[in-house]
Amino acid sequence: MNVREVLSLLRSPDGRKRKEGWKIVEEMKEGNVLPLIRNRLYLRSLLWNPLEGVREDAWNHIDVYVSLNVKGVERTMKARSDTIKWSAWKRVHELVELGLIDWVFVYSVRDSFWRLLKSRYPTIRKKAWRLFQELMKEGIFTERDKERYVSLLKSEKASVRIIAWKVALSTGFFKRDELRDMTQYLTELTKEDSKVKIEAKRIMQELS
């Protein structure tokens, strides 16, 4: 099997073929590395592949990218697609540990993270909010971001608004007096019967 055939396996919709291709790439990394170096841009493009399986398999072999000194991996953190962007951000700690980025860079691109907090994909949205709280502890999100956070407390999407309130209350991102001044946006969530209404009432009780 020539190099072109091996590389084509990496973007196959068939997971078994991708596994076969990556096994060969890992072996090449230890010996016949020159063909991989010549195809670094192709390998990098897999991180932007719209097919989740292709993209995740590429990320799961990030050691290959490190050994080949592939440049531009960090650009995925600013991708337009929520799914592609999340594949990168959920590995932010790993990327720092591998030396592909540092925390100064993460801070510099934090604006690109906000869209994930209101993503139309519920799974990404929920996981992004968990990561947001970790990044707060890392000092990536600070009081400088309060104004932007307020827009989430007022979000037209109830599922986004309620989780923003829950996180704001549990993390101390805002002082309680600051939140009390905005309770009208919680009250609006109690007008319709739903789980959101129950959560909104609970938060209002905690703030009272």
Side-chain angles (χ1 to χ4, degrees), residues 106-159:
V106 178
Y107 184 83
S108 73
V109 298
R110 74 190 191 285
D111 284 354
S112 69
F113 184 84
W114 289 93
R115 194 174 72 185
L116 296 175
L117 298 176
K118 51 184 179 181
S119 174
R120 65 189 180 92
Y121 302 105
T123 300
I124 289 179
R125 190 168 65 238
K126 292 176 182 177
K127 291 181 178 179
W129 274 103
R130 286 199 290 269
L131 179 57
F132 176 82
Q133 294 173 72
E134 293 179 31
L135 295 177
M136 279 180 57
K137 296 176 183 178
E138 301 284 359
I140 301 303
F141 296 106
T142 66
E143 287 193 353
R144 292 181 60 184
D145 300 295
K146 276 189 174 182
E147 184 175 345
R148 191 159 192 172
Y149 194 111
V150 168
S151 69
L152 298 173
L153 295 175
K154 302 176 181 179
S155 176
E156 293 182 2
K157 186 181 293 186
S159 57

Side-chain angles (χ1 to χ4, degrees), residues 7-179:
L7 294 178
S8 69
L9 292 177
L10 305 183
R11 54 183 172 82
S12 170
D14 188 331
R16 291 171 297 180
K17 290 182 178 180
R18 293 198 304 272
K19 183 176 180 180
E20 177 187 354
W22 279 109
K23 180 179 179 181
I24 296 172
V25 167
E26 289 282 0
E27 292 172 352
M28 291 175 67
K29 182 191 70 174
E30 302 301 328
N32 186 25
V33 72
L34 189 56
L36 296 179
I37 292 176
R38 289 172 176 166
N39 287 279
R40 283 186 291 196
L41 290 179
Y42 172 83
L43 290 170
R44 191 180 70 181
S45 73
L46 298 175
L47 301 175
W48 274 267
N49 195 285
L51 188 62
E52 183 179 8
V54 172
R55 192 172 64 248
E56 288 297 310
D57 280 355
W59 276 108
N60 290 335
H61 291 85
I62 197 66
D63 60 300
V64 172
Y65 292 76
V66 175
S67 65
L68 296 177
N69 195 28
V70 176
K71 302 295 184 182
V73 170
E74 74 284 353
R75 296 176 190 171
T76 51
M77 298 180 74
K78 299 179 70 174
R80 292 184 179 182
S81 163
D82 285 1
T83 53
I84 293 172
K85 183 188 294 186
W86 176 244
S87 289
W89 274 96
K90 71 180 181 181
R91 295 175 169 87
V92 63
H93 290 91
E94 181 183 2
L95 293 176
V96 171
E97 290 172 5
L98 290 172
L100 290 170
I101 58 174
D102 57 27
W103 287 114
V104 173
F105 174 79
V106 178
Y107 184 83
S108 73
V109 298
R110 74 190 191 285
D111 284 354
S112 69
F113 184 84
W114 289 93
R115 194 174 72 185
L116 296 175
L117 298 176
K118 51 184 179 181
S119 174
R120 65 189 180 92
Y121 302 105
T123 300
I124 289 179
R125 190 168 65 238
K126 292 176 182 177
K127 291 181 178 179
W129 274 103
R130 286 199 290 269
L131 179 57
F132 176 82
Q133 294 173 72
E134 293 179 31
L135 295 177
M136 279 180 57
K137 296 176 183 178
E138 301 284 359
I140 301 303
F141 296 106
T142 66
E143 287 193 353
R144 292 181 60 184
D145 300 295
K146 276 189 174 182
E147 184 175 345
R148 191 159 192 172
Y149 194 111
V150 168
S151 69
L152 298 173
L153 295 175
K154 302 176 181 179
S155 176
E156 293 182 2
K157 186 181 293 186
S159 57
V160 172
R161 192 188 303 191
I162 193 63
I163 195 170
W165 276 92
K166 289 167 66 175
V167 171
L169 184 64
S170 64
T171 60
F173 196 72
F174 290 85
K175 294 178 182 178
R176 292 202 165 212
D177 286 343
E178 292 176 316
L179 291 175

